[in-house]
Amino acid sequence: MHLSMWTYPWDIQDQGLAALAVDLRDRAGLTTVSLATSYHAGRFLQPRSPRQKAYFPEDGTVYFRPDESLWRDKLIRPLMATNVAERGDMLEALVQGREATGLKVSCWTVCLHNTRLGMLHPDHVTRNAFGNPNYYNLCPSSPAARDYAVTLVRDITTNYRPDMVELESPNFMGFAHEYHHEKDGVGLNAEDDFLLSLCFCDHCTMRAEKAGVPVDGARRSVARFIAELCERAVPERQFPDFPAAGIYAFRDHPDLHAYLTWRSEPVTSLIGEIKAAADPATRIVLIDLKDGWLGGADLAAVGKVCDGAILCCYDMEPVAVGDVIRTGRAAIGPGKFLGVGLRVFYPEVGGPEILAARTKAAVDAGADGVNFYNYGLIPAKRLDWVKTAVDAIT
């Protein structure tokens, strides 16, 4: 069974590779390390690091050495983090050390969530119905952004040969995604956030029009909804069965409904292109959420073009976790990998028995593996909670 923990390169550098192996393999009972290979900015409390208790990673960099021969003619190109030059290539160390550590290697790879690249390439980011850019999200309809994501995974798989690549954000992102000192005095509800996240950039417009989708009508509807939500004294629900009904919640607005139906095409085809360009020895899976359709992911379609998915079930009771996995299994099919992502954060998880119950619910419902979040962000004693969870399913 795939049993992994999401991990940052600096965690390994601070703890040491041997210590990481002991922690994950022996103390937590895991079989795999999922290393952040392409990542975004943040501020992280590092409880276990002997060197630094707060860490601010560079925005939009990669944690491996890009192969220049693959990137020479690309418009959007990766930037290697200074961490790699200064403290070593942890992906290389993990891959070369697989036999010694006993741990398989998975690459946790952020695809299109990249503010640094969005600022450099504003013509290739998502844009709302008013044409305003979301700099943190390269658009999956943009040929240059797609080329970037495809080449990124091709580079990793052909030059490092990991066991798996986990694709984060090969899709459309939400409006409220913790950009930097975000301000919202309106009090956006879930449907407001969704409407603000819908992309109508030139790339989406051209791609949708080519497919015969009424883009202009959809844009006008969304622009009207956004204008109206900005005029209300307090937020109101316009679509009472959102998000439970999926895109059917917008059935009374035919142009918008048609656009939302089309919207999964750029995401599905991008994942398919990533898989096709990757080394076939590496499994390619999608990291997604319960309502992946909000970002344009159609799990049933994705299952046809890659090796599977990991569904994050953060802050859910065991019954809800089981429901998500059963629904995911029905969508993706019996022959594909299906994992669950679980956080080990307090107070979301109050103790080992809670984590174990969620883990067991996922596996009983059909999950093939578990990813725990996150090695460097939790106290060492919570690795024992992970071991309790692993023991419940093995």
Side-chain angles (χ1 to χ4, degrees), residues 162-304:
D163 300 280
M164 180 183 285
V165 169
E166 305 164 10
L167 304 175
E168 179 180 322
S169 71
N171 54 356
F172 298 100
M173 297 172 64
F175 178 70
H177 197 79
E178 299 181 0
Y179 168 63
H180 187 67
H181 292 294
E182 292 177 332
K183 308 294 183 183
D184 165 25
V186 174
L188 300 174
N189 59 35
E191 64 187 41
D192 297 338
D193 179 81
F194 177 66
L195 292 166
L196 280 162
S197 76
L198 294 178
C199 181
F200 295 95
C201 72
D202 290 345
H203 304 290
C204 279
T205 298
M206 291 174 60
R207 198 174 183 99
E209 285 179 342
K210 188 175 180 179
V213 176
V215 185
D216 286 342
R219 182 192 292 110
R220 286 194 298 270
S221 293
V222 174
R224 185 178 75 254
F225 292 142
I226 292 172
E228 290 171 353
L229 74 87
C230 289
E231 293 168 359
R232 297 189 182 98
V234 295
E236 296 176 11
R237 294 288 301 274
Q238 301 176 79
F239 305 98
D241 51 357
F242 175 92
I247 63 174
Y248 188 64
F250 303 92
R251 59 193 176 274
D252 294 334
H253 305 277
D255 287 357
L256 177 54
H257 185 269
Y259 190 68
L260 296 177
T261 301
W262 164 82
R263 188 168 169 258
S264 64
E265 185 280 326
V267 178
T268 301
S269 60
L270 173 57
I271 294 171
E273 289 176 18
I274 289 172
K275 169 63 179 172
D279 188 287
T282 300
R283 288 195 292 178
I284 307 297
V285 304
L286 169 69
I287 300 175
D288 208 357
L289 303 173
K290 176 175 72 75
D291 291 321
W293 69 270
L294 294 170
D298 179 339
L299 197 56
V302 166
K304 293 180 174 65

Side-chain angles (χ1 to χ4, degrees), residues 80-117:
M80 186 182 79
T82 55
N83 170 286
V84 177
E86 294 175 355
R87 304 188 66 189
D89 185 340
M90 291 301 97
L91 178 55
E92 181 180 48
L94 285 170
V95 168
Q96 292 184 353
R98 272 182 288 208
E99 186 173 341
T101 64
L103 294 171
K104 293 182 178 180
V105 180
S106 188
C107 292
W108 170 24
T109 306
V110 174
C111 297
L112 302 180
H113 180 191
N114 196 311
T115 303
R116 185 188 68 82
L117 289 177

Side-chain angles (χ1 to χ4, degrees), residues 18 37 90 98 104 145 154 159 161 190 199 223 226 229 231 269 281 294 313-314 334 345 361 374-375 393:
T37 331
M90 291 301 97
R98 272 182 288 208
K104 293 182 178 180
R154 180 186 176 197
N159 289 297
R161 305 294 179 91
C199 181
I226 292 172
L229 74 87
E231 293 168 359
S269 60
L294 294 170
C313 294
Y314 299 157
F345 285 9
N374 175 298
Y375 177 68
I393 58 172

